[in-house]
Amino acid sequence: MTSALLAHIEAELEGNPLQQHLRSYAGNLLHFYEENRIASTQRFQKALLKYRDIEKSPEYPHLTLFTGSGIHEYRICLDYDGSITDDDEEIGVIVPHPEIGGDYEPATEEEEYVWVDESYALHRRIVLTWLADIWQEIKGYDYGLVVKTLENNSVREFFFNDMAAEDDSEYFMFNDALTPVERHFSEDFSVVALFDRIK
């Protein structure tokens, strides 16, 4: 995964004044996430197994990987149409927050804002791509659940079922306990295609 995605990120950053720093940051993040892949995959699959037969009446819950403000640590909870349960402590952290900074020291406050915005956006795309790749690997689409991420700081949601965000997803308002959630796409996406779907 790492080399193909890093090459794609590098090409996408072409012409960006922060290209070198963002490329280095991306490489460090990908290395961190790949080092944690086995443990995260096991926890993600454990959550799918635990909740696949959850009571779906009267409201259909979305299995949610929740992250707080300004971080990229994901924990499992359920979202009943905006009412979030507590984190599942038995499963614990699906994805730990990497303590990885960039090698860039902005000279001005304006440059600092640009760096924070661009590095955060890149980090978000990388971790969601990585999680989506794991979701495909463990065939998350076979568990009959709507599975998404939820970011508390912006209330942004990304749905793994159709690899789409917010109301671009067909599952955004899905709350039908009587309709089984089936596989949306007939084939898996490459990591590059996943990255391009996540903006």
Side-chain angles (χ1 to χ4, degrees):
M1 172 184 157
T2 303
S3 58
L5 186 52
L6 194 54
H8 183 70
I9 290 170
E10 200 167 43
E12 187 177 287
L13 290 170
E14 190 69 39
N16 186 312
L18 297 174
Q19 176 182 355
Q20 178 184 347
H21 305 294
L22 288 169
R23 190 262 179 226
S24 175
Y25 183 56
N28 290 338
L29 288 173
L30 287 168
H31 177 73
F32 171 84
Y33 286 122
E34 283 302 299
E35 281 191 331
N36 285 277
R37 189 177 189 96
I38 293 172
S40 292
T41 299
Q42 290 170 344
R43 290 188 187 110
F44 202 168
Q45 189 159 38
K46 183 177 180 181
L48 291 168
L49 287 165
K50 179 175 181 176
Y51 291 105
R52 70 177 165 189
D53 297 321
I54 192 166
E55 181 62 43
K56 297 175 183 176
S57 179
E59 290 183 279
Y60 188 96
H62 294 177
L63 182 63
T64 303
L65 281 72
F66 179 82
T67 186
S69 179
I71 61 171
H72 295 283
E73 177 180 278
Y74 291 83
R75 296 175 175 269
I76 289 291
C77 65
L78 295 173
D79 181 352
Y80 286 91
D81 197 22
S83 179
I84 307 296
T85 65
D86 291 337
D87 300 346
D88 186 320
E89 293 183 13
E90 177 194 352
I91 293 173
V93 176
I94 299 286
V95 181
H97 178 72
E99 297 296 334
I100 296 172
D103 58 358
Y104 175 56
E105 294 291 337
T108 67
E109 191 172 306
E110 183 178 334
E111 289 176 1
E112 173 75 17
Y113 287 135
V114 172
W115 168 253
V116 168
D117 285 349
E118 292 201 29
S119 62
Y120 186 85
L122 179 61
H123 191 161
R124 178 180 178 274
R125 286 179 74 192
I126 286 172
V127 71
L128 290 181
T129 299
W130 182 76
L131 281 167
D133 188 51
I134 289 174
W135 190 79
Q136 290 182 152
E137 177 187 325
I138 61 179
K139 302 187 185 320
Y141 38 72
D142 286 343
Y143 289 82
L145 296 165
V146 174
V147 183
K148 69 180 184 184
T149 64
L150 175 62
E151 298 172 52
N152 184 45
N153 59 325
S154 58
V155 200
R156 286 192 294 190
E157 297 173 307
F158 176 79
F159 292 81
F160 294 105
N161 302 81
D162 58 358
M163 304 298 174
E166 283 94 34
D167 54 2
D168 287 336
S169 172
E170 292 185 26
Y171 301 91
F172 182 66
M173 297 296 289
F174 187 92
N175 195 26
D176 182 356
L178 300 177
T179 303
V181 182
E182 297 180 352
R183 182 173 183 172
H184 191 81
F185 298 108
S186 59
E187 295 183 4
D188 289 348
F189 290 96
S190 70
V191 290
V192 168
L194 288 171
F195 187 80
D196 284 343
R197 289 183 68 86
I198 301 166
K199 299 292 183 187

